[in-house]
Amino acid sequence: MAKIAYILLCHKDPAAIIRQAERLTAAGDYMAIHFDASADPNQYRQIRSALAENTSVTFVRRRVRCGWGEWSLVEATLRAVRAALEAFPRATHFYMLSGDCMAIKSAEYTHHFLDENDADFIESFDYFESDWIKTGWREERLIYRHWFNERTQKKRFYAMFELQKRLRLTREIPADLQVQIGSQWWCLRRNTLEMLFDFLENRRDVTRFFRTTWIPDETFFQTLVRHLIPENQIHNRTLTFLMFTDYGMPVTFYNDHYDLLLSQDYLFARKISPEAQDLKRRLGLLYAAEGVQFQISNEGPSLFRFLSGRGRIGRRFATRFWETESTLGRERELLIVICKKWHVAKRVLERIRQVTNIPAIEYLFNEESTPLPDLGGIQNTLGKRTRHRRALMRMLFDYYETDRLIVCMDSSNIDLLHDFASDRSMTRLLEINCQFSDDYLIGHAMRVGLAGEQTPQDTLARLLPTIRNDMVFETDRIRDANFEHHSRMRETAGEEDNAEALSRFLRLPTDKAREIAAADHLFAD
């Protein structure tokens, strides 16, 4: 059975560290603690005293003063791992933690998971080819030497960088290493770490190289594990659930995140708020529990993006366009069908095709698979279609040899609607307002990744009003835009009213519009 040695790097909150050590070792596991040498020595003595009788806890003898972005973080980790290897010969796995982490599964589940998955869990993406680094330096982290801390010695840090750059004092990456990058929160097997230390003993050049790279805790273990261990024995992921805001800051979890955390396919979570005392209490009890069944839905990241991003258009960010292209054509008429229920819009579009000869295209800015003609590659991805939307529409008008074209859009595409409505061509909008049952909203949440088959009912009950309000917000935003030539069909309206809206939109005789509006099950789910 798996026996875990937790590698804890910490620098504050001794009471929380003591509770964490006692909780994790009570389940039969171990812990090696590195307490930052630059932190309060009285707090360190408090931790040592409280855990002195706990034989499942060991401490790093020669502690390191740690600084963000420095080699010192890797050095502290290596010392803690060495201490754990020596003190706990029965440990099979070594799991990196911080003082802000807490288990979101029981010890029983965690041990069974590691027994069933004989592999190392560590993120390791190609340093130069992946998009793990979103902005800022890339090769500069490696080919220049960084002796000073960027946060505490900023002037020296950048002065030395500029000097090396001016004198072209670059260096080579060790030839046999393919540098990798990823999260520093890993879980590695004992044999892997023993191989790593043997490698470092024989390859002092590798240690020298990483000592002066910038932010080596994101590259050191990631590179060496991938270098030493066969690919089929590595799971390219972390077992610690963490998310980042669009400001690059870790998302903090609070008391009301308990159900969300338990449903994620991870063993630990970071960061737990220091104020989330009830969450800490419940997670602490959970780790010692037996026989708990976990329903994994794993919707956390997509749910966070949805909840944090809603309502930002026109509130936090100004409406932006990726390009300004020439008009679609003064004599052309773009007809846009707007509907949140895509299947309803597609039914309306099919009826329009049967009654008129106007070319009609479904959700070309929302569905990658929407059938489109070959337009030289501009149609290949949603990103290209959106960036070059006016060029795309002009090409479609030309392809169909028409001056009238119908397309479908989701009600969330407000930037596209504004852009096309501002064009010199004639733009007409038909908004189709539908009713949204709870069952439909649950299905919608599952389709877009906000929920899964195993999402608890309590989570769904809290989520549904937010989704419903978001759809109302999208409708209100379209209405508030006061678009010219804007018609509206409603599920709750009568056939005559909807036929009138279609007649205005398509500039059709009322009897023809009635043929479309009278279709059976037009609004059915």
mmCIF file with all atom_site columns, all heavy atoms in Angstrom, residues 349-362:
data_model
loop_
_atom_site.group_PDB
_atom_site.id
_atom_site.type_symbol
_atom_site.label_atom_id
_atom_site.label_alt_id
_atom_site.label_comp_id
_atom_site.label_asym_id
_atom_site.label_entity_id
_atom_site.label_seq_id
_atom_site.pdbx_PDB_ins_code
_atom_site.Cartn_x
_atom_site.Cartn_y
_atom_site.Cartn_z
_atom_site.occupancy
_atom_site.B_iso_or_equiv
_atom_site.pdbx_formal_charge
_atom_site.auth_seq_id
_atom_site.auth_comp_id
_atom_site.auth_asym_id
_atom_site.auth_atom_id
_atom_site.pdbx_PDB_model_num
ATOM 1   N N   . LEU A 1 349 ? -33.985 28.307 -39.297 1.00 0.00 ? 349 LEU A N   1
ATOM 2   C CA  . LEU A 1 349 ? -33.177 28.471 -40.504 1.00 0.00 ? 349 LEU A CA  1
ATOM 3   C C   . LEU A 1 349 ? -33.574 27.466 -41.583 1.00 0.00 ? 349 LEU A C   1
ATOM 4   O O   . LEU A 1 349 ? -33.647 27.798 -42.773 1.00 0.00 ? 349 LEU A O   1
ATOM 5   C CB  . LEU A 1 349 ? -31.686 28.308 -40.147 1.00 0.00 ? 349 LEU A CB  1
ATOM 6   C CG  . LEU A 1 349 ? -30.720 29.257 -40.854 1.00 0.00 ? 349 LEU A CG  1
ATOM 7   C CD1 . LEU A 1 349 ? -31.061 30.691 -40.485 1.00 0.00 ? 349 LEU A CD1 1
ATOM 8   C CD2 . LEU A 1 349 ? -29.283 28.941 -40.457 1.00 0.00 ? 349 LEU A CD2 1
ATOM 9   N N   . GLU A 1 350 ? -33.847 26.233 -41.158 1.00 0.00 ? 350 GLU A N   1
ATOM 10  C CA  . GLU A 1 350 ? -34.250 25.206 -42.122 1.00 0.00 ? 350 GLU A CA  1
ATOM 11  C C   . GLU A 1 350 ? -35.588 25.568 -42.778 1.00 0.00 ? 350 GLU A C   1
ATOM 12  O O   . GLU A 1 350 ? -35.761 25.388 -43.991 1.00 0.00 ? 350 GLU A O   1
ATOM 13  C CB  . GLU A 1 350 ? -34.343 23.853 -41.424 1.00 0.00 ? 350 GLU A CB  1
ATOM 14  C CG  . GLU A 1 350 ? -34.702 22.693 -42.355 1.00 0.00 ? 350 GLU A CG  1
ATOM 15  C CD  . GLU A 1 350 ? -33.706 22.538 -43.506 1.00 0.00 ? 350 GLU A CD  1
ATOM 16  O OE1 . GLU A 1 350 ? -32.489 22.817 -43.307 1.00 0.00 ? 350 GLU A OE1 1
ATOM 17  O OE2 . GLU A 1 350 ? -34.141 22.144 -44.608 1.00 0.00 ? 350 GLU A OE2 1
ATOM 18  N N   . ARG A 1 351 ? -36.521 26.108 -41.984 1.00 0.00 ? 351 ARG A N   1
ATOM 19  C CA  . ARG A 1 351 ? -37.808 26.527 -42.560 1.00 0.00 ? 351 ARG A CA  1
ATOM 20  C C   . ARG A 1 351 ? -37.607 27.708 -43.520 1.00 0.00 ? 351 ARG A C   1
ATOM 21  O O   . ARG A 1 351 ? -38.252 27.787 -44.560 1.00 0.00 ? 351 ARG A O   1
ATOM 22  C CB  . ARG A 1 351 ? -38.779 26.923 -41.439 1.00 0.00 ? 351 ARG A CB  1
ATOM 23  C CG  . ARG A 1 351 ? -39.255 25.750 -40.604 1.00 0.00 ? 351 ARG A CG  1
ATOM 24  C CD  . ARG A 1 351 ? -40.128 24.819 -41.415 1.00 0.00 ? 351 ARG A CD  1
ATOM 25  N NE  . ARG A 1 351 ? -41.361 25.470 -41.850 1.00 0.00 ? 351 ARG A NE  1
ATOM 26  C CZ  . ARG A 1 351 ? -42.073 25.100 -42.894 1.00 0.00 ? 351 ARG A CZ  1
ATOM 27  N NH1 . ARG A 1 351 ? -41.675 24.074 -43.633 1.00 0.00 ? 351 ARG A NH1 1
ATOM 28  N NH2 . ARG A 1 351 ? -43.201 25.746 -43.227 1.00 0.00 ? 351 ARG A NH2 1
ATOM 29  N N   . ILE A 1 352 ? -36.689 28.621 -43.181 1.00 0.00 ? 352 ILE A N   1
ATOM 30  C CA  . ILE A 1 352 ? -36.423 29.763 -44.072 1.00 0.00 ? 352 ILE A CA  1
ATOM 31  C C   . ILE A 1 352 ? -35.851 29.257 -45.396 1.00 0.00 ? 352 ILE A C   1
ATOM 32  O O   . ILE A 1 352 ? -36.216 29.743 -46.469 1.00 0.00 ? 352 ILE A O   1
ATOM 33  C CB  . ILE A 1 352 ? -35.457 30.755 -43.395 1.00 0.00 ? 352 ILE A CB  1
ATOM 34  C CG1 . ILE A 1 352 ? -36.144 31.450 -42.214 1.00 0.00 ? 352 ILE A CG1 1
ATOM 35  C CG2 . ILE A 1 352 ? -34.950 31.792 -44.391 1.00 0.00 ? 352 ILE A CG2 1
ATOM 36  C CD1 . ILE A 1 352 ? -35.234 32.339 -41.397 1.00 0.00 ? 352 ILE A CD1 1
ATOM 37  N N   . ARG A 1 353 ? -34.965 28.264 -45.331 1.00 0.00 ? 353 ARG A N   1
ATOM 38  C CA  . ARG A 1 353 ? -34.392 27.702 -46.563 1.00 0.00 ? 353 ARG A CA  1
ATOM 39  C C   . ARG A 1 353 ? -35.482 27.121 -47.457 1.00 0.00 ? 353 ARG A C   1
ATOM 40  O O   . ARG A 1 353 ? -35.424 27.211 -48.687 1.00 0.00 ? 353 ARG A O   1
ATOM 41  C CB  . ARG A 1 353 ? -33.374 26.606 -46.216 1.00 0.00 ? 353 ARG A CB  1
ATOM 42  C CG  . ARG A 1 353 ? -32.060 27.102 -45.606 1.00 0.00 ? 353 ARG A CG  1
ATOM 43  C CD  . ARG A 1 353 ? -31.052 25.969 -45.589 1.00 0.00 ? 353 ARG A CD  1
ATOM 44  N NE  . ARG A 1 353 ? -29.839 26.319 -44.847 1.00 0.00 ? 353 ARG A NE  1
ATOM 45  C CZ  . ARG A 1 353 ? -29.567 25.905 -43.617 1.00 0.00 ? 353 ARG A CZ  1
ATOM 46  N NH1 . ARG A 1 353 ? -30.445 25.131 -42.976 1.00 0.00 ? 353 ARG A NH1 1
ATOM 47  N NH2 . ARG A 1 353 ? -28.452 26.256 -43.024 1.00 0.00 ? 353 ARG A NH2 1
ATOM 48  N N   . GLN A 1 354 ? -36.478 26.486 -46.823 1.00 0.00 ? 354 GLN A N   1
ATOM 49  C CA  . GLN A 1 354 ? -37.543 25.851 -47.590 1.00 0.00 ? 354 GLN A CA  1
ATOM 50  C C   . GLN A 1 354 ? -38.477 26.871 -48.255 1.00 0.00 ? 354 GLN A C   1
ATOM 51  O O   . GLN A 1 354 ? -39.033 26.614 -49.317 1.00 0.00 ? 354 GLN A O   1
ATOM 52  C CB  . GLN A 1 354 ? -38.350 24.925 -46.663 1.00 0.00 ? 354 GLN A CB  1
ATOM 53  C CG  . GLN A 1 354 ? -37.558 23.733 -46.147 1.00 0.00 ? 354 GLN A CG  1
ATOM 54  C CD  . GLN A 1 354 ? -38.300 22.977 -45.057 1.00 0.00 ? 354 GLN A CD  1
ATOM 55  O OE1 . GLN A 1 354 ? -39.459 23.273 -44.778 1.00 0.00 ? 354 GLN A OE1 1
ATOM 56  N NE2 . GLN A 1 354 ? -37.636 21.994 -44.451 1.00 0.00 ? 354 GLN A NE2 1
ATOM 57  N N   . VAL A 1 355 ? -38.617 28.026 -47.610 1.00 0.00 ? 355 VAL A N   1
ATOM 58  C CA  . VAL A 1 355 ? -39.574 29.025 -48.097 1.00 0.00 ? 355 VAL A CA  1
ATOM 59  C C   . VAL A 1 355 ? -38.911 30.070 -48.993 1.00 0.00 ? 355 VAL A C   1
ATOM 60  O O   . VAL A 1 355 ? -39.542 30.632 -49.882 1.00 0.00 ? 355 VAL A O   1
ATOM 61  C CB  . VAL A 1 355 ? -40.288 29.697 -46.903 1.00 0.00 ? 355 VAL A CB  1
ATOM 62  C CG1 . VAL A 1 355 ? -41.185 30.845 -47.350 1.00 0.00 ? 355 VAL A CG1 1
ATOM 63  C CG2 . VAL A 1 355 ? -41.104 28.670 -46.128 1.00 0.00 ? 355 VAL A CG2 1
ATOM 64  N N   . THR A 1 356 ? -37.627 30.349 -48.758 1.00 0.00 ? 356 THR A N   1
ATOM 65  C CA  . THR A 1 356 ? -36.921 31.366 -49.553 1.00 0.00 ? 356 THR A CA  1
ATOM 66  C C   . THR A 1 356 ? -35.705 30.726 -50.211 1.00 0.00 ? 356 THR A C   1
ATOM 67  O O   . THR A 1 356 ? -35.368 29.573 -49.970 1.00 0.00 ? 356 THR A O   1
ATOM 68  C CB  . THR A 1 356 ? -36.440 32.528 -48.658 1.00 0.00 ? 356 THR A CB  1
ATOM 69  O OG1 . THR A 1 356 ? -35.317 32.101 -47.900 1.00 0.00 ? 356 THR A OG1 1
ATOM 70  C CG2 . THR A 1 356 ? -37.538 32.984 -47.716 1.00 0.00 ? 356 THR A CG2 1
ATOM 71  N N   . ASN A 1 357 ? -35.028 31.481 -51.021 1.00 0.00 ? 357 ASN A N   1
ATOM 72  C CA  . ASN A 1 357 ? -33.785 31.002 -51.639 1.00 0.00 ? 357 ASN A CA  1
ATOM 73  C C   . ASN A 1 357 ? -32.563 31.769 -51.111 1.00 0.00 ? 357 ASN A C   1
ATOM 74  O O   . ASN A 1 357 ? -31.541 31.851 -51.772 1.00 0.00 ? 357 ASN A O   1
ATOM 75  C CB  . ASN A 1 357 ? -33.862 31.122 -53.166 1.00 0.00 ? 357 ASN A CB  1
ATOM 76  C CG  . ASN A 1 357 ? -34.038 32.574 -53.607 1.00 0.00 ? 357 ASN A CG  1
ATOM 77  O OD1 . ASN A 1 357 ? -34.226 33.467 -52.776 1.00 0.00 ? 357 ASN A OD1 1
ATOM 78  N ND2 . ASN A 1 357 ? -33.971 32.800 -54.908 1.00 0.00 ? 357 ASN A ND2 1
ATOM 79  N N   . ILE A 1 358 ? -32.697 32.335 -49.896 1.00 0.00 ? 358 ILE A N   1
ATOM 80  C CA  . ILE A 1 358 ? -31.589 33.095 -49.300 1.00 0.00 ? 358 ILE A CA  1
ATOM 81  C C   . ILE A 1 358 ? -30.574 32.113 -48.705 1.00 0.00 ? 358 ILE A C   1
ATOM 82  O O   . ILE A 1 358 ? -30.959 31.249 -47.906 1.00 0.00 ? 358 ILE A O   1
ATOM 83  C CB  . ILE A 1 358 ? -32.094 34.041 -48.197 1.00 0.00 ? 358 ILE A CB  1
ATOM 84  C CG1 . ILE A 1 358 ? -33.216 34.936 -48.717 1.00 0.00 ? 358 ILE A CG1 1
ATOM 85  C CG2 . ILE A 1 358 ? -30.941 34.896 -47.661 1.00 0.00 ? 358 ILE A CG2 1
ATOM 86  C CD1 . ILE A 1 358 ? -33.879 35.758 -47.621 1.00 0.00 ? 358 ILE A CD1 1
ATOM 87  N N   . PRO A 1 359 ? -29.286 32.185 -49.061 1.00 0.00 ? 359 PRO A N   1
ATOM 88  C CA  . PRO A 1 359 ? -28.271 31.316 -48.440 1.00 0.00 ? 359 PRO A CA  1
ATOM 89  C C   . PRO A 1 359 ? -28.252 31.534 -46.924 1.00 0.00 ? 359 PRO A C   1
ATOM 90  O O   . PRO A 1 359 ? -28.319 32.683 -46.456 1.00 0.00 ? 359 PRO A O   1
ATOM 91  C CB  . PRO A 1 359 ? -26.965 31.768 -49.085 1.00 0.00 ? 359 PRO A CB  1
ATOM 92  C CG  . PRO A 1 359 ? -27.361 32.460 -50.336 1.00 0.00 ? 359 PRO A CG  1
ATOM 93  C CD  . PRO A 1 359 ? -28.693 33.097 -50.070 1.00 0.00 ? 359 PRO A CD  1
ATOM 94  N N   . ALA A 1 360 ? -28.184 30.449 -46.177 1.00 0.00 ? 360 ALA A N   1
ATOM 95  C CA  . ALA A 1 360 ? -28.233 30.538 -44.708 1.00 0.00 ? 360 ALA A CA  1
ATOM 96  C C   . ALA A 1 360 ? -27.149 29.653 -44.104 1.00 0.00 ? 360 ALA A C   1
ATOM 97  O O   . ALA A 1 360 ? -26.985 28.493 -44.488 1.00 0.00 ? 360 ALA A O   1
ATOM 98  C CB  . ALA A 1 360 ? -29.611 30.110 -44.205 1.00 0.00 ? 360 ALA A CB  1
ATOM 99  N N   . ILE A 1 361 ? -26.407 30.196 -43.164 1.00 0.00 ? 361 ILE A N   1
ATOM 100 C CA  . ILE A 1 361 ? -25.297 29.486 -42.510 1.00 0.00 ? 361 ILE A CA  1
ATOM 101 C C   . ILE A 1 361 ? -25.565 29.475 -41.012 1.00 0.00 ? 361 ILE A C   1
ATOM 102 O O   . ILE A 1 361 ? -25.969 30.495 -40.439 1.00 0.00 ? 361 ILE A O   1
ATOM 103 C CB  . ILE A 1 361 ? -23.948 30.177 -42.801 1.00 0.00 ? 361 ILE A CB  1
ATOM 104 C CG1 . ILE A 1 361 ? -23.717 30.264 -44.312 1.00 0.00 ? 361 ILE A CG1 1
ATOM 105 C CG2 . ILE A 1 361 ? -22.797 29.426 -42.150 1.00 0.00 ? 361 ILE A CG2 1
ATOM 106 C CD1 . ILE A 1 361 ? -22.543 31.127 -44.699 1.00 0.00 ? 361 ILE A CD1 1
ATOM 107 N N   . GLU A 1 362 ? -25.305 28.336 -40.394 1.00 0.00 ? 362 GLU A N   1
ATOM 108 C CA  . GLU A 1 362 ? -25.598 28.200 -38.966 1.00 0.00 ? 362 GLU A CA  1
ATOM 109 C C   . GLU A 1 362 ? -24.531 28.915 -38.132 1.00 0.00 ? 362 GLU A C   1
ATOM 110 O O   . GLU A 1 362 ? -23.958 29.902 -38.581 1.00 0.00 ? 362 GLU A O   1
ATOM 111 C CB  . GLU A 1 362 ? -25.751 26.721 -38.623 1.00 0.00 ? 362 GLU A CB  1
ATOM 112 C CG  . GLU A 1 362 ? -26.965 26.117 -39.339 1.00 0.00 ? 362 GLU A CG  1
ATOM 113 C CD  . GLU A 1 362 ? -27.114 24.620 -39.158 1.00 0.00 ? 362 GLU A CD  1
ATOM 114 O OE1 . GLU A 1 362 ? -26.239 23.997 -38.504 1.00 0.00 ? 362 GLU A OE1 1
ATOM 115 O OE2 . GLU A 1 362 ? -28.101 24.061 -39.685 1.00 0.00 ? 362 GLU A OE2 1
#
